Amino acid sequence: VAVSLKKKNKIKYYENYPLKSVMLRNVLNLFGLSIGAIILAHYHLILGLSYFILYLITLIWLLRFRCKYCYYYGKICCSGFGKIVPNFFKKGKNEYFQKYVNFFTPIYLCIILPILGGIFLLIQSFSLDILGLLIIFILMSYILSEKYYLKFGCIYCKQNYNCPTYTQKHKPNPE
């Protein structure tokens, strides 16, 4: 259900995001994660498996240092983590949401490592397979972060006014 906060501009926020968009986001995330792991596994299988472990640790990190302070704690947020986090962490104060924004940084390792690994593999021994996977991974990372998340997730978030990821690229929606 979207809530209109400004009648004039019809700015809407979701109290709970539609399940279809949450599922699509997670399918795209898993696709990107799989491509990243395949790239790294071309160097060594343990590196590909370690990437999955790093991703899982990063998700736990985000639940602990981001999601527990979010407005969507206990609700369906754009990633669905709002419904998951109460199973692991107690609710934190919403005002700490922005305080812990720098704790979001580890997620970028999950983007940078496959790119660096793919470049390294291409320098070591050029392969069209690796080049194709690397291009798909980079496009997926860009499309997900710049197009999908910001335009279909962040714009409808109740906390976008308080989120540097969103406000760096868009005019925030005041409450």
Side-chain angles (χ1 to χ4, degrees), residues 8-166:
K8 189 176 180 182
N9 295 335
K10 296 193 180 188
I11 297 171
K12 297 177 181 179
Y13 298 101
Y14 286 123
E15 283 298 319
N16 284 288
Y17 277 76
L19 264 176
K20 283 184 194 176
S21 67
V22 174
M23 290 171 61
L24 177 60
R25 177 182 173 148
N26 285 302
V27 166
L28 293 173
N29 277 342
L30 286 172
F31 182 68
L33 169 66
S34 299
I35 291 174
I38 290 167
I39 290 170
L40 294 172
H42 268 80
Y43 184 72
H44 199 284
L45 182 60
I46 292 193
L47 202 54
L49 294 173
S50 297
Y51 180 67
F52 275 113
I53 293 168
L54 171 66
Y55 199 86
L56 181 61
I57 291 169
T58 301
L59 288 179
I60 293 167
W61 181 268
L62 289 175
L63 291 174
R64 164 61 179 91
F65 289 107
R66 190 71 171 175
C67 299
K68 78 178 246 176
Y69 301 107
C70 184
Y71 171 81
Y72 290 96
Y73 180 95
K75 299 178 182 184
I76 302 172
C77 63
C78 63
S79 65
F81 296 156
K83 279 288 194 188
I84 296 169
V85 71
N87 296 313
F88 300 100
F89 302 103
K90 290 182 182 178
K91 172 81 172 128
K93 294 181 180 179
N94 285 49
E95 34 305 342
Y96 290 170
F97 181 78
Q98 191 171 19
K99 177 182 176 184
Y100 288 105
V101 72
N102 292 335
F103 285 80
F104 192 69
T105 307
I107 197 75
Y108 296 114
L109 278 175
C110 294
I111 296 170
I112 292 168
L113 289 176
I115 293 172
L116 292 176
I119 291 169
F120 179 75
L121 284 168
L122 289 173
I123 291 170
Q124 191 179 30
S125 174
F126 184 81
S127 161
L128 285 175
D129 291 343
I130 296 298
L131 179 62
L133 287 170
L134 186 58
I135 290 170
I136 291 170
F137 184 81
I138 290 169
L139 287 174
M140 285 287 300
S141 297
Y142 172 76
I143 290 168
L144 284 176
S145 66
E146 295 297 318
K147 302 298 179 196
Y148 186 78
Y149 296 160
L150 292 175
K151 298 213 185 219
F152 297 107
C154 299
I155 197 167
Y156 298 109
C157 178
K158 181 88 167 153
Q159 282 194 209
N160 68 13
Y161 69 92
N162 195 24
C163 181
T165 304
Y166 183 78

